[in-house]
Amino acid sequence: MLAVAGPAQGLLLPGAADSVWRNVPMHLRVNLAGAAYRLVTPEQPVLREKKNRDVKFALKAAGGRRATGRHWLVLLSSPRESFGSGRSERADRVYELLQRVVAEYVAPAVEATTGAEPEDGTETAAERPGEARAAGALPEAGDGGSGGALEAEPKSRPAAGQGAPSEGARPPEPRATPQVKAEAGAARGLLLPGKDDPSWSTVPLLLRQSLRMTAHSLMTPVSGPLKAQKHQGVRAAVRAAQRMRMTGAHWLVLLTTDREIFGKGEKADALYGVLSQILAEHPMPLVQDQGRRDAVPEETATG
């Protein structure tokens, strides 16, 4: 089930009968139980409306720690306004706890069941063929994107007739991952890891979850410059963030794309703000160590 709203917005949730719902950690269920009980005792006026009947029953089940998969699906895919008025602190508390359930348990569980994502940017069934190919390729000239950020690196090939190294031969030293200078976007002026660098997989879950929510909001519906054919690479990268299927190539596209390419309005501002937050709270290893790495060749030459 694809959650089109609520704390799990944009996430493909397991079915109601899946065992994932029976294994929600105890501390998350206990915290939610207390907040849900206070929200329905007495009931919020919004919960008395017929359209929010399922939300009310799901909250009562959570308050009694009797939530089933069906109840979890209702709670995680219902918009904030279904829980109470915009000024209700009790409704805010329940919604925050549900977001925590998604970030700490549901999203990692879904990632584990769907399997590891391909690191080479191969096409997935959910992506459009054109977008999938463009996600790992260089954006077209003039799109305000990363410029040469995603230029393909030539792969080393063994020479013809080259045999196995002799027993006394020194093993080849591993080559450093190519670095990318960001010429635009949230990472303008920074030296980022290459698209195949493993550091891209270390972005904390909470930051990826925040990016997923803003990406989903920006893509429903797609509007503005992102609809243009020349920006299909950026569009595919935003879709990958929406599905939490990010590769290094997707990260480079998003972090090196100018703000105006994402469009106008609060949705685009929110996504760009999360990208800036990721750079601030999770600086990439190559960015942190750049000063020391630059100094190595000079010291060697002096010595």
Side-chain angles (χ1 to χ4, degrees):
M1 167 186 170
L2 179 63
V4 297
Q9 185 178 40
L11 197 64
L12 190 61
L13 299 175
D18 197 285
S19 61
V20 70
W21 305 116
R22 297 193 295 272
N23 298 322
V24 178
M26 178 64 72
H27 70 281
L28 294 176
R29 288 188 281 125
V30 170
N31 291 339
L32 179 62
Y37 179 81
R38 288 189 293 270
L39 185 59
V40 295
T41 313
E43 296 177 1
Q44 291 276 320
V46 172
L47 295 175
R48 301 191 188 105
E49 299 179 8
K50 185 177 180 180
K51 64 180 181 179
N52 294 326
R53 181 180 178 183
D54 290 342
V55 177
K56 178 178 67 175
F57 289 151
L59 286 170
K60 289 184 175 181
R65 291 169 60 181
R66 295 177 285 102
T68 64
R70 181 170 59 86
H71 295 130
W72 281 114
L73 289 175
V74 170
L75 293 175
L76 297 179
S77 59
S78 296
R80 164 61 182 80
E81 55 268 21
S82 298
F83 295 91
S85 67
R87 294 178 296 178
S88 172
E89 295 182 359
R90 291 185 294 170
D92 286 339
R93 177 59 177 165
V94 168
Y95 200 77
E96 290 172 1
L97 288 172
L98 290 172
Q99 289 178 317
R100 183 177 174 185
V101 171
V102 173
E104 295 186 13
Y105 174 70
V106 177
V110 170
E111 287 188 81
T113 55
T114 54
E117 292 303 319
E119 295 295 333
D120 56 354
T122 52
E123 177 183 354
T124 60
E127 291 179 337
R128 299 177 184 176
E131 294 182 356
R133 289 192 298 269
L138 176 67
E140 295 183 14
D143 64 354
S146 59
L150 298 185
E151 185 174 354
E153 292 290 335
K155 298 182 178 180
S156 58
R157 298 180 179 177
Q162 180 178 1
S166 60
E167 294 182 0
R170 178 180 300 176
E173 297 182 359
R175 294 183 59 189
T177 304
Q179 302 172 22
V180 175
K181 178 67 176 294
E183 303 293 344
R188 180 192 298 269
L190 296 179
L191 193 61
L192 300 176
K195 64 184 180 67
D196 297 323
D197 194 281
S199 60
W200 295 113
S201 62
T202 64
V203 179
L205 176 62
L206 287 176
L207 294 177
R208 289 187 286 122
Q209 182 76 4
S210 298
L211 182 62
R212 177 187 66 81
M213 297 179 67
T214 56
H216 179 80
S217 177
L218 184 63
M219 299 299 288
T220 49
V222 182
S223 61
L226 285 179
K227 296 179 66 176
Q229 178 68 18
K230 65 179 181 178
H231 299 321
Q232 62 177 351
V234 180
R235 188 168 66 245
V238 177
R239 290 193 188 278
Q242 177 186 355
R243 302 182 183 118
M244 293 185 72
R245 296 173 174 266
M246 297 285 286
T247 66
H250 295 131
W251 281 115
L252 286 174
V253 169
L254 292 181
L255 293 174
T256 58
T257 295
D258 280 330
R259 163 62 185 82
E260 56 268 20
I261 302 301
F262 296 107
K264 299 180 179 179
E266 296 180 357
K267 294 180 179 180
D269 286 341
L271 184 136
Y272 200 78
V274 172
L275 292 174
S276 300
Q277 180 185 1
I278 290 173
L279 288 171
E281 297 186 11
H282 182 67
M284 297 300 167
L286 290 182
V287 176
Q288 289 180 312
D289 298 341
Q290 182 55 31
R292 180 177 60 83
R293 289 171 181 265
D294 286 344
V296 171
E298 182 178 352
E299 293 171 358
T300 304
T302 303

